[in-house]
Amino acid sequence: MRKPEGNKSDSTEHVVGRTPSDVVSQSLRLLGSLGPLIILASLGFYAILTFQDSLHRMHVANEDRFAKQFEAHIKSYDTMGKVSSSQVDQLSKLFDLTGKASAEAREADKKAQEQVAKATIAEAQQKVVQNALEKAKAELGTAEADLVKSQIRLAEQNKELEGIKINVSEIAKLVYEESWDKVIAKLNDLLKKTGSSINLQFDSEALSRLKELKTERESSVTLVPDEERETLTEQIRKYVSDNSKNQAAAKAWLTKNRVDMPIAIFLESPNGALKQRMVRELKIPPLPRITQRVDPPERSYAALFDPYVPSRHTNTYVIQLQTALCVPDSEIRQRGALTNTKALIQIYKRAERQAGDKLSDDDATRIREQGGCRAGGGQNYFEKRTFDDPSNGAAALRELIAGLRKTQAGATLSPETSLDGTRTTVQVVRNSAPPSAKLMALPPALSGQVTPDFWSMLRRL
């Protein structure tokens, strides 16, 4: 605490003028009056310094931030440069892929267009084929209708043919009886049925020829004994049944000598003189000595013929029939059961689609006119008709072999096999056939032969 100034005046030393205290006091007073200004100035200066410091710090912070941002930009630019290079490569690859894809797309589009064009052509062709198929179906329907009509006409023609056969048989009998008026009437009736406008009448030439034939017949009856005439008949019969060449020669001889009748009717006729001339002019060889003897009737032959005529169906007659049927030699000239002969007759009956198990005279004549059996050829009536035919025999044999090759037993059969070469296979296939095939039973000697039912079974395989 400041002391009162009165105490200082009482001191022994007195100071004249301004003292330091005065200066200090005056300075304080001056400072007291300037204090607010100084404070204000100090505050302003402080504020300025603070602001500058803030600006400096802000500037430094901004510089740091700008440096960092610049560095980040530099890194970004570097990264972008790297990325851009990679992107350029990727874009280049992308462009290449795009180009390839575009080329492939164009190629695919081209192929698609080609496929569309092909499909269009195929569709057009399909329509053409469909139209052709429809046309073929229509033609097939027409053909089937025509076939039905043809079958009807064929049935009618067969019926007419059967009637003609009956009329011819009646005419032949009337000719044999020399009932010429009835013969002409029958012929005119037959011609009328066939739609012909011809009306037959007797003329002088025909009457002259009939008288000539009658004279020849009478001379043959009177000059040629019955036994010799029968021998001549069998001699000619054997000659024409040996082969087709002999048969053609006999027909030509009959035509040349104006004998207007089939060979079968000529053989049954009593024209002994004409038969002598034929044998002489054609140089027909005589029958073997064994066939010229007169044999007694054989009762077992009655099982072969309907009707059975002992005077006609002699041993010679039956032997010739057996030869034409291809009966094994072991049974020819034998008597008894005649198993093979009966079986071969059954084959004939089935080939001709006939019922029964006996032969009529027409059947026997047809068999004997077929000719004999040759080595390597057909061994029954059906085989000879099927495989010995000059026109169709080779094709029939190929069909037989093809059918046998479908079976287990004939799988290895050569396509070039002969008819004889198929016998063993035919026998095995026949013996192993199921009961449903209903094949006719054959004796062992014939089991390798082809029959109509066996042929039908192969065709169904």
Side-chain angles (χ1 to χ4, degrees), residues 149-249:
K149 293 179 182 178
S150 299
Q151 289 175 342
I152 295 174
R153 287 197 298 269
L154 181 60
E156 295 174 351
Q157 291 173 356
N158 287 336
K159 185 176 180 181
E160 293 176 357
L161 182 60
E162 291 298 325
I164 291 173
K165 287 182 179 179
I166 295 173
N167 287 334
V168 169
S169 299
E170 293 176 353
I171 290 171
K173 291 179 181 179
L174 293 174
V175 169
Y176 183 74
E177 296 171 358
E178 298 184 0
S179 300
W180 305 116
D181 292 339
K182 294 181 180 180
V183 169
I184 295 299
K186 283 286 185 181
L187 287 173
N188 285 332
D189 183 56
L190 181 60
L191 290 171
K192 184 177 180 181
K193 288 181 179 180
T194 58
S196 175
S197 59
I198 299 175
N199 187 24
L200 297 177
Q201 294 181 353
F202 280 116
D203 56 22
S204 58
E205 183 179 357
L207 289 173
S208 175
R209 180 58 186 156
L210 286 173
K211 289 180 181 179
E212 181 181 347
L213 289 174
K214 183 177 180 180
T215 301
E216 291 177 353
R217 178 178 178 276
E218 289 175 352
S219 63
S220 67
V221 172
T222 56
L223 297 178
V224 181
D226 291 342
E227 183 178 351
E228 182 181 354
R229 187 169 63 252
E230 181 68 21
T231 301
L232 290 171
T233 299
E234 298 304 324
Q235 193 173 347
I236 297 171
R237 194 189 307 278
K238 183 179 185 306
Y239 174 77
V240 299
S241 64
D242 282 343
N243 53 64
S244 58
K245 183 178 179 181
N246 292 350
Q247 187 175 356

Side-chain angles (χ1 to χ4, degrees), residues 396-448:
L397 179 59
R398 289 194 296 270
E399 184 178 354
L400 170 66
I401 294 172
L404 292 174
R405 284 168 60 85
K406 295 178 181 179
T407 65
Q408 183 177 0
T412 60
L413 196 65
S414 170
E416 305 300 326
T417 305
S418 63
L419 181 59
D420 270 353
T422 66
R423 297 297 181 191
T424 302
T425 305
V426 170
Q427 184 178 23
V428 174
V429 174
R430 175 181 291 278
N431 292 339
S432 60
S436 59
K438 297 181 180 180
L439 299 181
M440 63 180 296
L442 293 180
L446 310 180
S447 60

Side-chain angles (χ1 to χ4, degrees), residues 35 221 294 304 378:
V221 172
V294 178
L304 307 179

Side-chain angles (χ1 to χ4, degrees), residues 41-115:
S42 298
L43 290 173
F45 182 72
Y46 177 76
I48 291 170
L49 289 178
T50 302
F51 178 72
Q52 287 179 347
D53 185 60
S54 297
L55 288 177
H56 177 70
R57 285 197 302 270
M58 186 182 298
H59 179 70
V60 172
N62 287 335
E63 286 181 351
D64 291 339
R65 187 171 64 254
F66 289 151
K68 290 180 181 179
Q69 289 179 352
F70 181 75
E71 185 179 357
H73 285 315
I74 295 300
K75 290 181 180 180
S76 298
Y77 291 147
D78 291 339
T79 304
M80 288 179 65
K82 294 178 180 179
V83 172
S84 298
S85 177
S86 176
Q87 287 179 344
V88 168
D89 292 338
Q90 294 296 328
L91 287 174
S92 177
K93 293 180 181 179
L94 180 61
F95 289 150
D96 290 340
L97 291 175
T98 304
K100 291 180 181 179
S102 298
E104 291 178 355
R106 288 193 297 270
E107 185 67 22
D109 184 62
K110 182 179 178 182
K111 290 182 179 179
Q113 291 178 356
E114 292 177 354
Q115 292 297 329

